[in-house]
Amino acid sequence: MVTKELLKEIKVTSYTDIVGPSNPMLGPIQDGGTIVVGSVPGCWGPMITPQMKSGHEVSLPVAVEGAEVGDAIALRIKKIEVQSKATASGVDNAGTPGCFVGDPFVARVCPNCGAKWPETYIDGIGLEAIRCKACGAPAVPFKFTKGYTMLFDHQARLGFTVAGGFAEQIARQAAEYSALNLYPQAVSHPVVIAAVADMPGILTRMRPMIGNFGTIPAVDMPSSHNAGDFGVFLVGAPHAYALTAEQLKAGKTDAHMDIDSARVGAIVICPVKVPGGGIYVGDAHAQQGDGELALHTTDVTAEITLQAEVIKGLGIDGPILLPPLEDLPFLARPYTKEEVEKGRELARASNTEFVEEVAPIQVVGTGPNINDA
């Protein structure tokens, strides 16, 4: 029997759109080891790449030593370095006739020749430039209702939405501006080829976070649907990745969180539903508001560093988030040592037993609506 050597650190630059037991596992890394991922843009890039079966392109999963079903893995976010020089985003319209079956994020079809998940090439700029290799017809299921192209100033950590002429200049150098040229194994097209510029002149701060990361589910599913909200579209779907409600509920790990606190300094504790856990990363954003209410934000290429630690027998079904201190409301912040000692003095003075020390946690739940989540 050949045993794989345990790694202290692994660099991942290979990708998938489907996550689950069928994935080949990289590693394993040792308990407490480090995973460095070259994360490529999620959402709009995969959305405009018809051969993909998901709204996210994520890294191949990494196994962690000793992680067994029923355990958990704590992921400490150590670094998120945005590598893109620009991105584009906006509000989508998924109503392009004949370009999908049931779910435009998953089951794409060429509207001209009928090829399923057609391979495509880019000829020019704009979404119409993405064409089916088999017949040459435009094949993208999504359009922009309104959109913007954002240029980044990394030194000042700012983003600025540009006017149409500069958006077109970015579109013509899409691989370099999106930094997809750094990761040639990635499949998805760079969204900046869209050259959208409906709201130029807006300044915003950059605060990078990760939208989709954690452990692989116990059943194969599109990476963007590994949650109870998007995942509900797989239940009874008319395509090859359909699941039953029971399969979704038991299998998902809710890695697609889109919580803006999932950034440097946060810890996310993830359920283990397959041996080794299978840590994957994708859908990094330059910034995001609470809840991603527009459904999209600024997808970027980024180098992300995580540290993984196994917690035996925790038995959770979905993630637990320990956010950065600054995100906690004033009254929910952990007490300092001085505050705890003052509390003990009050307990002694009032002849009252001191309640054990506590700290806040955020339990992530997902579902088709807020109540179910």
Side-chain angles (χ1 to χ4, degrees):
M1 178 178 177
V2 177
T3 303
K4 286 188 176 181
E5 180 183 357
L6 295 176
L7 304 172
K8 292 182 180 179
E9 180 174 309
I10 188 170
K11 176 76 178 283
V12 185
T13 57
S14 49
Y15 308 96
T16 184
D17 47 5
I18 301 298
V19 289
S22 70
N23 290 137
M25 286 255 202
L26 305 178
I29 62 165
Q30 66 184 33
D31 187 1
T34 299
I35 303 169
V36 180
V37 174
S39 177
V40 295
C43 288
W44 272 105
M47 284 164 55
I48 62 170
T49 308
Q51 74 185 77
M52 301 201 71
K53 304 174 180 70
S54 169
H56 291 158
E57 186 172 16
V58 300
S59 61
L60 280 180
V62 175
V64 182
E65 173 197 13
E68 300 171 323
V69 175
D71 295 340
I73 299 175
L75 298 175
R76 299 173 185 268
I77 305 177
K78 310 293 283 188
K79 185 183 80 168
I80 306 174
E81 179 187 346
V82 174
Q83 296 171 310
S84 298
K85 299 175 184 177
T87 191
S89 191
V91 180
D92 72 76
N93 180 343
T96 307
C99 282
F100 62 94
V101 178
D103 187 337
F105 290 92
V106 176
R108 286 82 175 274
V109 178
C110 175
N112 184 59
C113 70
K116 294 181 179 179
W117 296 293
E119 292 190 19
T120 49
Y121 64 95
I122 298 174
D123 183 15
I125 64 174
L127 296 188
E128 293 291 305
I130 299 172
R131 297 178 174 270
C132 173
K133 281 187 177 180
C135 69
V140 175
F142 291 93
K143 296 179 180 178
F144 280 98
T145 301
K146 295 290 182 181
Y148 55 86
T149 298
M150 182 178 290
L151 182 68
F152 299 127
D153 173 4
H154 286 272
Q155 185 174 4
R157 300 192 67 78
L158 295 170
F160 183 74
T161 58
V162 301
F166 202 85
E168 292 181 4
Q169 179 179 324
I170 290 172
R172 292 189 177 93
Q173 302 173 66
E176 290 75 20
Y177 272 99
S178 66
L180 279 169
N181 60 326
L182 300 178
Y183 303 107
Q185 292 190 64
V187 172
S188 54
H189 297 313
V191 67
V192 290
I193 68 159
V196 284
D198 293 316
M199 48 182 294
I202 305 298
L203 182 67
T204 183
R205 297 183 181 94
M206 293 172 65
R207 190 167 74 166
M209 48 80 66
I210 317 172
N212 190 349
F213 77 114
T215 48
I216 61 172
V219 60
D220 283 352
M221 64 179 70
S223 57
S224 58
H225 290 46
N226 184 12
D229 47 9
F230 255 46
V232 75
F233 297 113
L234 299 176
V235 176
H239 55 67
Y241 294 96
L243 299 175
T244 66
E246 292 74 18
Q247 286 174 319
L248 175 65
K249 183 177 180 180
K252 67 184 176 65
T253 59
D254 287 330
H256 186 191
M257 297 177 289
D258 278 326
I259 299 174
D260 56 354
S261 292
R263 62 180 193 276
V264 171
I267 302 171
V268 178
I269 303 172
C270 309
V272 174
K273 295 195 174 181
V274 301
I279 305 302
Y280 72 91
V281 180
D283 195 33
H285 304 148
Q287 64 273 115
Q288 180 186 285
D290 288 334
E292 199 179 26
L293 296 181
L295 297 183
H296 305 290
T297 184
T298 46
D299 313 310
V300 291
T301 301
E303 185 174 88
I304 295 171
T305 302
L306 306 172
Q307 184 181 30
E309 180 182 344
V310 176
I311 303 174
K312 298 301 292 182
L314 190 61
I316 55 175
D317 187 57
I320 296 173
L321 170 64
L322 307 181
L325 180 63
E326 65 196 75
D327 284 8
L328 291 170
F330 176 73
L331 294 179
R333 296 186 178 190
Y335 297 115
T336 64
K337 290 182 179 180
E338 292 78 12
E339 287 173 323
V340 170
E341 185 50 42
K342 289 292 184 183
R344 294 191 187 281
E345 289 178 10
L346 291 171
R348 288 191 292 268
S350 62
N351 195 29
T352 304
E353 183 180 355
F354 188 76
V355 176
E356 66 183 70
E357 294 185 36
V358 296
I361 63 171
Q362 296 182 12
V363 178
V364 178
T366 66
N369 55 60
I370 292 292
N371 289 336
D372 287 348

